[in-house]
Short mmCIF file of all heavy atoms in Angstrom, two decimals:
data_model
loop_
_atom_site.label_atom_id
_atom_site.label_comp_id
_atom_site.label_asym_id
_atom_site.label_seq_id
_atom_site.Cartn_x
_atom_site.Cartn_y
_atom_site.Cartn_z
N GLU A 1 -16.79 -10.45 15.08
CA GLU A 1 -16.89 -9.13 14.48
C GLU A 1 -15.60 -8.33 14.66
O GLU A 1 -15.13 -7.66 13.73
CB GLU A 1 -18.07 -8.38 15.08
CG GLU A 1 -19.43 -8.97 14.69
CD GLU A 1 -20.57 -8.17 15.30
OE1 GLU A 1 -20.27 -7.19 16.02
OE2 GLU A 1 -21.74 -8.52 15.05
N LEU A 2 -15.02 -8.40 15.88
CA LEU A 2 -13.77 -7.68 16.11
C LEU A 2 -12.64 -8.21 15.23
O LEU A 2 -11.85 -7.44 14.66
CB LEU A 2 -13.38 -7.79 17.60
CG LEU A 2 -14.29 -7.05 18.59
CD1 LEU A 2 -13.87 -7.37 20.01
CD2 LEU A 2 -14.24 -5.55 18.35
N GLU A 3 -12.57 -9.55 15.12
CA GLU A 3 -11.53 -10.13 14.27
C GLU A 3 -11.72 -9.75 12.81
O GLU A 3 -10.76 -9.44 12.10
CB GLU A 3 -11.55 -11.65 14.42
CG GLU A 3 -11.06 -12.13 15.78
CD GLU A 3 -11.18 -13.63 15.91
OE1 GLU A 3 -11.67 -14.25 14.94
OE2 GLU A 3 -10.78 -14.19 16.96
N SER A 4 -12.98 -9.71 12.37
CA SER A 4 -13.23 -9.32 10.98
C SER A 4 -12.87 -7.86 10.74
O SER A 4 -12.30 -7.49 9.71
CB SER A 4 -14.69 -9.57 10.62
OG SER A 4 -15.53 -8.78 11.44
N ASN A 5 -13.18 -6.99 11.75
CA ASN A 5 -12.81 -5.57 11.61
C ASN A 5 -11.30 -5.38 11.58
O ASN A 5 -10.77 -4.56 10.81
CB ASN A 5 -13.42 -4.76 12.76
CG ASN A 5 -14.94 -4.70 12.68
OD1 ASN A 5 -15.51 -4.81 11.60
ND2 ASN A 5 -15.60 -4.54 13.83
N GLU A 6 -10.60 -6.13 12.45
CA GLU A 6 -9.14 -6.03 12.44
C GLU A 6 -8.57 -6.51 11.11
O GLU A 6 -7.63 -5.91 10.57
CB GLU A 6 -8.57 -6.86 13.59
CG GLU A 6 -8.86 -6.27 14.97
CD GLU A 6 -8.34 -7.14 16.08
OE1 GLU A 6 -7.81 -8.23 15.75
OE2 GLU A 6 -8.45 -6.76 17.25
N ALA A 7 -9.13 -7.58 10.57
CA ALA A 7 -8.64 -8.08 9.29
C ALA A 7 -8.89 -7.06 8.18
O ALA A 7 -8.02 -6.83 7.33
CB ALA A 7 -9.33 -9.40 8.95
N GLU A 8 -10.05 -6.40 8.21
CA GLU A 8 -10.33 -5.38 7.21
C GLU A 8 -9.38 -4.20 7.35
O GLU A 8 -8.89 -3.64 6.35
CB GLU A 8 -11.78 -4.91 7.35
CG GLU A 8 -12.80 -5.95 6.92
CD GLU A 8 -14.21 -5.45 7.12
OE1 GLU A 8 -14.36 -4.31 7.63
OE2 GLU A 8 -15.15 -6.19 6.79
N ALA A 9 -9.08 -3.81 8.61
CA ALA A 9 -8.14 -2.70 8.81
C ALA A 9 -6.75 -3.06 8.30
O ALA A 9 -6.06 -2.23 7.69
CB ALA A 9 -8.09 -2.34 10.30
N GLU A 10 -6.32 -4.29 8.57
CA GLU A 10 -4.99 -4.71 8.08
C GLU A 10 -4.94 -4.72 6.57
O GLU A 10 -3.95 -4.28 5.96
CB GLU A 10 -4.68 -6.11 8.63
CG GLU A 10 -4.42 -6.11 10.13
CD GLU A 10 -4.15 -7.51 10.65
OE1 GLU A 10 -4.24 -8.44 9.81
OE2 GLU A 10 -3.87 -7.67 11.84
N THR A 11 -6.00 -5.17 5.94
CA THR A 11 -6.00 -5.18 4.48
C THR A 11 -5.99 -3.76 3.92
O THR A 11 -5.31 -3.47 2.93
CB THR A 11 -7.23 -5.92 3.97
OG1 THR A 11 -8.41 -5.36 4.58
CG2 THR A 11 -7.16 -7.40 4.34
N GLU A 12 -6.76 -2.84 4.57
CA GLU A 12 -6.73 -1.45 4.12
C GLU A 12 -5.36 -0.81 4.30
O GLU A 12 -4.86 -0.10 3.44
CB GLU A 12 -7.78 -0.66 4.89
CG GLU A 12 -9.22 -1.04 4.52
CD GLU A 12 -10.22 -0.23 5.33
OE1 GLU A 12 -9.77 0.56 6.19
OE2 GLU A 12 -11.43 -0.39 5.09
N GLN A 13 -4.71 -1.09 5.47
CA GLN A 13 -3.38 -0.54 5.71
C GLN A 13 -2.38 -1.09 4.72
O GLN A 13 -1.52 -0.38 4.19
CB GLN A 13 -2.95 -0.86 7.14
CG GLN A 13 -1.62 -0.21 7.55
CD GLN A 13 -1.29 -0.48 8.99
OE1 GLN A 13 -2.05 -1.19 9.67
NE2 GLN A 13 -0.18 0.05 9.46
N GLY A 14 -2.50 -2.40 4.43
CA GLY A 14 -1.60 -2.99 3.45
C GLY A 14 -1.80 -2.41 2.08
O GLY A 14 -0.84 -2.18 1.33
N SER A 15 -3.02 -2.11 1.70
CA SER A 15 -3.28 -1.52 0.39
C SER A 15 -2.72 -0.11 0.32
O SER A 15 -2.17 0.32 -0.70
CB SER A 15 -4.78 -1.51 0.12
OG SER A 15 -5.46 -0.73 1.10
N LEU A 16 -2.83 0.67 1.43
CA LEU A 16 -2.26 2.01 1.44
C LEU A 16 -0.74 1.98 1.32
O LEU A 16 -0.14 2.78 0.58
CB LEU A 16 -2.67 2.74 2.73
CG LEU A 16 -4.16 3.08 2.86
CD1 LEU A 16 -4.44 3.66 4.25
CD2 LEU A 16 -4.58 4.08 1.78
N GLU A 17 -0.11 1.08 2.07
CA GLU A 17 1.35 0.95 1.98
C GLU A 17 1.78 0.56 0.58
O GLU A 17 2.77 1.07 0.05
CB GLU A 17 1.84 -0.06 3.01
CG GLU A 17 1.69 0.42 4.45
CD GLU A 17 2.12 -0.62 5.44
OE1 GLU A 17 2.46 -1.75 4.97
OE2 GLU A 17 2.14 -0.35 6.65
N SER A 18 1.06 -0.35 -0.01
CA SER A 18 1.42 -0.77 -1.37
C SER A 18 1.25 0.39 -2.35
O SER A 18 2.08 0.58 -3.26
CB SER A 18 0.56 -1.95 -1.78
OG SER A 18 -0.81 -1.59 -1.78
N ASP A 19 0.19 1.21 -2.16
CA ASP A 19 0.02 2.38 -3.03
C ASP A 19 1.16 3.36 -2.87
O ASP A 19 1.65 3.93 -3.86
CB ASP A 19 -1.31 3.07 -2.71
CG ASP A 19 -2.49 2.21 -3.08
OD1 ASP A 19 -2.31 1.29 -3.91
OD2 ASP A 19 -3.60 2.44 -2.54
N ALA A 20 1.61 3.56 -1.61
CA ALA A 20 2.73 4.48 -1.38
C ALA A 20 4.00 3.97 -2.03
O ALA A 20 4.78 4.73 -2.63
CB ALA A 20 2.92 4.68 0.12
N MET A 21 4.28 2.69 -1.93
CA MET A 21 5.46 2.11 -2.54
C MET A 21 5.40 2.25 -4.06
O MET A 21 6.41 2.54 -4.71
CB MET A 21 5.55 0.64 -2.15
CG MET A 21 5.86 0.41 -0.68
SD MET A 21 7.47 1.02 -0.19
CE MET A 21 8.52 -0.10 -1.08
N ILE A 22 4.23 2.10 -4.61
CA ILE A 22 4.09 2.24 -6.07
C ILE A 22 4.41 3.66 -6.49
O ILE A 22 5.09 3.91 -7.48
CB ILE A 22 2.69 1.82 -6.50
CG1 ILE A 22 2.52 0.32 -6.32
CG2 ILE A 22 2.44 2.20 -7.95
CD1 ILE A 22 1.10 -0.15 -6.52
N LYS A 23 3.93 4.64 -5.69
CA LYS A 23 4.19 6.04 -6.03
C LYS A 23 5.68 6.35 -5.93
O LYS A 23 6.23 7.07 -6.76
CB LYS A 23 3.40 6.94 -5.09
CG LYS A 23 1.90 6.89 -5.35
CD LYS A 23 1.16 7.80 -4.40
CE LYS A 23 -0.33 7.73 -4.65
NZ LYS A 23 -1.09 8.58 -3.71
N LYS A 24 6.34 5.80 -4.88
CA LYS A 24 7.78 6.05 -4.74
C LYS A 24 8.54 5.45 -5.92
O LYS A 24 9.46 6.04 -6.46
CB LYS A 24 8.28 5.45 -3.43
CG LYS A 24 7.81 6.22 -2.21
CD LYS A 24 8.34 5.57 -0.95
CE LYS A 24 7.84 6.31 0.29
NZ LYS A 24 8.32 5.67 1.53
N LYS A 25 8.14 4.27 -6.31
CA LYS A 25 8.83 3.64 -7.43
C LYS A 25 8.62 4.42 -8.71
O LYS A 25 9.53 4.57 -9.52
CB LYS A 25 8.31 2.21 -7.60
CG LYS A 25 8.82 1.27 -6.52
CD LYS A 25 8.29 -0.14 -6.75
CE LYS A 25 8.79 -1.07 -5.66
NZ LYS A 25 8.28 -2.43 -5.85
N THR A 26 7.46 4.98 -8.90
CA THR A 26 7.22 5.76 -10.12
C THR A 26 8.02 7.05 -10.11
O THR A 26 8.47 7.52 -11.16
CB THR A 26 5.73 6.09 -10.23
OG1 THR A 26 5.29 6.70 -9.01
CG2 THR A 26 4.93 4.82 -10.44
N LYS A 27 8.24 7.62 -8.89
CA LYS A 27 9.04 8.86 -8.84
C LYS A 27 10.51 8.58 -9.09
O LYS A 27 11.20 9.36 -9.75
CB LYS A 27 8.87 9.51 -7.47
CG LYS A 27 7.49 10.12 -7.27
CD LYS A 27 7.40 10.78 -5.91
CE LYS A 27 6.02 11.38 -5.71
NZ LYS A 27 5.88 12.02 -4.38
N THR A 28 11.07 7.53 -8.57
CA THR A 28 12.49 7.22 -8.72
C THR A 28 12.79 6.39 -9.96
O THR A 28 13.90 5.90 -10.11
CB THR A 28 12.97 6.46 -7.48
OG1 THR A 28 12.18 5.29 -7.33
CG2 THR A 28 12.82 7.32 -6.23
N ALA A 29 11.86 6.24 -10.79
CA ALA A 29 12.09 5.43 -11.99
C ALA A 29 13.06 6.14 -12.92
O ALA A 29 13.06 7.38 -13.02
CB ALA A 29 10.77 5.18 -12.70
N LYS A 30 13.93 5.42 -13.64
CA LYS A 30 14.92 5.99 -14.55
C LYS A 30 14.25 6.46 -15.81
O LYS A 30 13.28 5.85 -16.27
CB LYS A 30 15.97 4.93 -14.89
CG LYS A 30 16.82 4.53 -13.69
CD LYS A 30 17.85 3.51 -14.12
CE LYS A 30 18.70 3.11 -12.94
NZ LYS A 30 19.74 2.12 -13.33
N PRO A 31 14.75 7.57 -16.41
CA PRO A 31 14.17 8.05 -17.67
C PRO A 31 14.55 7.12 -18.80
O PRO A 31 15.49 6.34 -18.70
CB PRO A 31 14.82 9.42 -17.84
CG PRO A 31 16.08 9.33 -17.06
CD PRO A 31 15.82 8.45 -15.91
N PRO A 32 13.86 7.19 -19.89
CA PRO A 32 14.17 6.31 -21.02
C PRO A 32 15.54 6.64 -21.63
O PRO A 32 16.15 7.66 -21.33
CB PRO A 32 13.04 6.59 -22.00
CG PRO A 32 12.49 7.89 -21.60
CD PRO A 32 12.67 8.03 -20.13
N LYS A 33 16.06 5.78 -22.53
CA LYS A 33 17.39 5.91 -23.09
C LYS A 33 17.52 7.15 -23.96
O LYS A 33 18.55 7.81 -23.97
CB LYS A 33 17.73 4.67 -23.92
CG LYS A 33 17.88 3.43 -23.07
CD LYS A 33 18.26 2.25 -23.94
CE LYS A 33 18.44 1.00 -23.10
NZ LYS A 33 18.82 -0.16 -23.95
#
């Protein structure tokens, strides 16, 4: 149970980090030509 909870926490943290990176990329994206 502890290992499963840790795995779920890691997956949630990884999803949050990926969401943050996506937001940063959308903010620094270049405008169209």
Side-chain angles (χ1 to χ4, degrees):
E1 291 181 359
L2 292 174
E3 291 177 358
S4 62
N5 293 333
E6 290 178 357
E8 290 178 358
E10 290 178 358
T11 53
E12 291 179 357
Q13 186 176 2
S15 61
L16 292 174
E17 291 177 356
S18 61
D19 292 341
M21 292 295 292
I22 291 171
K23 290 180 181 179
K24 288 180 182 179
K25 287 181 180 179
T26 53
K27 288 181 180 179
T28 58
K30 294 181 180 181
K33 292 182 179 180

